[in-house]
């Protein structure tokens, strides 16, 4: 790992800030991944087809992508704390609104607004680890990403067995119940005392400079394509696994499958915590990308327990790849450059993931073969291996 992420001798760990980062990280995926387990109920309520069902799951993802660019401007203008709190509140309000709207059009609109809220504080978090935990940047990144992974497990794994029964089987109320802890976390971020970057002369807490990504920089595209591979691998399985299991006569295993699949990111995050030296290296990303593609291929062509194990491989490997890539900007950049690089990678990766998932759903509808929903993502993941590069360690970024 680059020297700018190392810990000075004797530097105390900022446990309070680490807790805040973990909690905010936990919120990143809860509203998004609470939807896939409820997808068949939502689709039945609004008469949605396979393509529309997949689009509903992935729409927040694409709005995260396009929201990353205005998010970078918001962070530079108003600062990290305001960006994180505002993003949390917008995300929560829109998530609750999804359960109250009367039409598919408003359902999709609320999902898009929810993604925009996520985009703001997701883009802010890499810079927050640099500013709020300056002596423990790698630890700060690992902690909030660990929170994100447990949030994925919470949203996807606890919705059916716990939250839906608490809501009396009403999927609309279930989405509302998930909002309660997120509002409390937003209040905590608003009240807690956080440090500013000592090199900053502005009220935002960040050194000033251009806030938009450098689109002529090939490394933004290189890292963005690699990140897209990990994002689409994880989300495409969540988007279509319920329908696939149902078509294979395996829907009785859906609850256990969703829980186990969304537990893989948590296991992956603890793996990276044990070997933080992987951040910035090419080899671990390459190995994870290969196994992620192999796992998705197995889930596509196999059935029964073999397909389930293959999906678990994808969930674990894709998450290791994602963690290492999301941790890259604060590890190799400083100040507003962290936000620029993160925003560019987010736009590229999440928009590609959305388009591939939507394309797969359309092909599945047209050919009446559900496995086709996974094929565009699988082909892209194989092609994206070419973006790994040749350097053993990814260089610094300005």
């Amino acid at each position: 790992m680059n020297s700018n992420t190392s810990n000075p001798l004797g530097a105390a760990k900022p446990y309070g800030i680490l807790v805040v980062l973990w909690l905010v990280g936990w919120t990143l995926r809860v509203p998004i991944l609470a939807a896939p387990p409820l997808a068949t109920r939502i689709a039945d309520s609004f008469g949605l087809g396979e393509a529309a069902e997949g689009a509903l799951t992935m729409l927040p993802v694409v709005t995260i992508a396009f929201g990353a660019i205005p998010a970078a401007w918001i962070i530079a203008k108003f600062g990290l704390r305001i960006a994180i709190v505002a993003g949390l509140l917008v995300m929560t309000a829109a998530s609750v609104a999804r359960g109250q709207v009367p039409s598919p059009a408003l359902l999709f609109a609320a999902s898009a607004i929810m993604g925009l809220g996520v985009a703001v504080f997701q883009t802010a978090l890499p810079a927050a680890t640099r500013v709020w935990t300056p002596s423990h940047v790698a630890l700060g990144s690992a902690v909030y990403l660990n929170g994100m992974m447990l949030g994925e497990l919470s949203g996807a794994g606890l919705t059916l067995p716990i939250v839906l029964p608490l809501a009396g089987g009403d999927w609309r109320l279930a989405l509302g119940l998930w909002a309660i802890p997120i509002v409390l976390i937003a209040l905590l971020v608003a009240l807690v005392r956080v440090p500013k970057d000592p090199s900053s002369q502005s009220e935002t807490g960040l050194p000033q400079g251009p806030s938009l990504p450098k689109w002529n920089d090939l490394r933004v595209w290189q890292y963005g394509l690699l990140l897209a591979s990990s994002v689409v691998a994880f989300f495409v399985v969540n988007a279509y696994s319920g329908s696939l299991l149902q078509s294979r006569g395996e829907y009785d295993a859906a609850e256990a499958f969703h829980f186990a699949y969304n537990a893989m990111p948590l296991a992956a995050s603890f793996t990276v915590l044990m070997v933080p030296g992987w951040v910035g290296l090419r080899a671990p990303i390459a190995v994870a990308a290969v196994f992620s593609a192999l796992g998705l291929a197995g889930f596509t062509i196999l059935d029964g327990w073999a397909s389930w194990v293959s999906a678990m491989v994808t969930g674990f490997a894709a998450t290791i790849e994602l963690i290492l890539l999301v941790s890259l900007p604060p590890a190799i950049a400083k100040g507003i450059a962290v936000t620029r690089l993160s925003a560019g990678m987010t736009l590229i990766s999440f928009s590609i993931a959305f388009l591939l998932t939507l394309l797969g759903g359309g092909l599945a509808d047209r050919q009446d073969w559900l496995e086709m929903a996974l094929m565009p993502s699988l082909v892209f993941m194989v092609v994206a291996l070419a973006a790994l590069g040749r350097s053993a360690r990814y260089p610094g970024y300005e």
Side-chain angles (χ1 to χ4, degrees):
M1 191 175 299
N2 291 11
S3 60
N4 60 16
T5 66
S6 61
N7 302 337
L9 186 61
K13 291 183 175 65
Y15 290 108
I17 297 299
L18 291 173
V19 170
V20 172
L21 286 172
W22 189 92
L23 288 170
V24 176
W26 179 84
T27 68
L28 275 169
R29 295 292 179 265
V30 169
I32 296 175
L33 290 177
L38 302 172
T40 55
R41 292 174 172 83
I42 298 173
D44 290 343
S45 297
F46 290 97
L48 304 179
E50 289 298 332
E53 183 179 335
L56 180 63
T57 300
M58 294 302 294
L59 184 58
V61 175
V62 76
T63 51
I64 288 173
F66 288 99
I69 303 305
W73 179 85
I74 290 170
I75 294 162
K77 181 72 173 178
F78 299 104
L80 294 168
R81 186 205 297 267
I82 292 177
I84 290 173
V85 172
L88 284 167
L89 294 178
V90 169
M91 175 193 72
T92 305
S95 179
V96 172
R98 289 183 301 171
Q100 307 304 317
V101 295
S103 68
L106 291 176
L107 174 67
F108 281 95
S111 299
I113 294 171
M114 184 184 73
L116 292 175
V118 176
V120 173
F121 72 96
Q122 175 171 296
T123 306
L125 277 171
T129 62
R130 165 64 66 180
V131 175
W132 295 355
T133 58
S135 299
H136 300 83
V137 175
L139 179 62
S141 295
V143 164
Y144 94 74
L145 288 166
N146 179 267
M148 183 177 80
M149 301 315 159
L150 190 58
E152 292 178 347
L153 175 62
S154 302
L158 301 182
T159 296
L160 290 181
I162 295 179
V163 178
L164 190 61
L166 286 175
D170 185 347
W171 68 265
R172 300 175 186 272
L173 181 57
L175 293 178
L177 291 178
W178 274 122
I180 297 173
I182 299 175
V183 171
L184 297 177
I185 291 170
L187 180 62
L188 175 64
V189 177
L191 296 178
V192 74
R193 183 177 180 180
V194 296
K196 291 183 178 180
D197 191 323
S199 66
S200 174
Q201 301 299 317
S202 74
E203 292 299 317
T204 69
L206 285 172
Q208 295 303 287
S211 60
L212 298 181
K214 298 178 180 178
W215 295 116
N216 60 345
D217 188 337
L218 291 179
R219 283 195 291 163
V220 174
W221 292 93
Q222 176 189 3
Y223 303 151
L225 291 173
L226 290 174
L227 185 58
S229 178
S230 65
V231 171
V232 75
F234 186 78
F235 275 102
V236 77
V237 174
N238 263 316
Y240 294 116
S241 58
S243 297
L244 278 169
L245 291 175
Q246 190 171 43
S247 71
R248 295 170 178 175
E250 301 167 358
Y251 195 72
D252 289 345
E255 184 175 315
F257 177 91
H258 278 114
F259 185 87
Y261 181 73
N262 289 282
M264 291 298 102
L266 188 61
S269 71
F270 281 115
T271 300
V272 177
L273 275 174
M274 291 188 291
V275 282
W278 283 359
V279 177
L281 297 179
R282 173 183 178 272
I285 294 176
V287 172
V290 169
F291 274 93
S292 179
L294 290 174
L296 186 60
F299 184 61
T300 302
I301 64 177
L302 302 174
D303 56 19
W305 67 266
S307 73
W308 306 341
V309 171
S310 296
M312 301 308 134
V313 171
T314 293
F316 183 82
T319 304
I320 286 187
E321 184 183 5
L322 182 144
I323 292 173
L324 295 177
L325 288 164
V326 170
S327 300
L328 200 56
I332 65 177
K334 294 182 179 180
I336 200 67
V338 178
T339 300
R340 285 202 316 268
L341 181 56
S342 296
M345 292 170 61
T346 299
L347 173 57
I348 293 167
S349 61
F350 281 76
S351 58
I352 289 175
F354 173 80
L355 291 173
L356 289 170
T357 305
L358 187 62
L359 174 62
L363 292 173
D365 275 342
R366 174 169 294 195
Q367 300 193 13
D368 197 25
W369 181 38
L370 277 175
E371 281 75 7
M372 181 59 69
L374 307 177
M375 291 303 296
S377 299
L378 179 58
V379 171
F380 172 81
M381 290 165 63
V382 174
V383 174
L385 294 174
L388 286 165
R390 298 181 179 180
S391 300
R393 178 179 293 276
Y394 294 115
Y397 185 86
E398 296 181 359

